[in-house]
Amino acid sequence: KKEKVIDSTSSVLDIGSGMGVFPAVMKQNHWEVVAIDPDPINIEIAKNYGFELIGHRLELYCKPIEK
């Protein structure tokens, strides 16, 4: 018996969403979508899918492992 793990009321955070193809498909399937991409060109292209991506530069902060 297969169980349905994800339903149509799920939400997704897509980091590095590019031109927004994957978030657009999720939105068409009634998912709540938040998409982030650092490239302003990708953000402009993604607007063609009917929603706005959040443009933000992601930075990873690491500190040395203490021995």
Side-chain angles (χ1 to χ4, degrees):
K1 178 181 172 184
K2 292 183 181 180
E3 293 185 30
K4 192 173 185 180
V5 177
I6 301 173
D7 63 25
S8 63
T9 61
S10 297
S11 59
V12 64
L13 170 61
D14 185 12
I15 299 174
S17 55
M19 296 179 284
V21 176
F22 176 74
V25 170
M26 295 295 95
K27 184 179 175 188
Q28 289 174 351
N29 287 287
H30 309 289
W31 285 45
E32 181 180 339
V33 180
V34 174
I36 301 171
D37 195 277
D39 187 341
I41 295 171
N42 284 342
I43 293 168
E44 288 302 313
I45 294 170
K47 289 179 182 179
N48 295 325
Y49 292 110
F51 62 97
E52 186 172 342
L53 272 70
I54 301 167
H56 185 72
R57 182 177 175 198
L58 301 174
E59 295 183 11
L60 178 62
Y61 294 95
C62 298
K63 69 178 195 176
I65 297 173
E66 297 177 12
K67 292 184 178 183

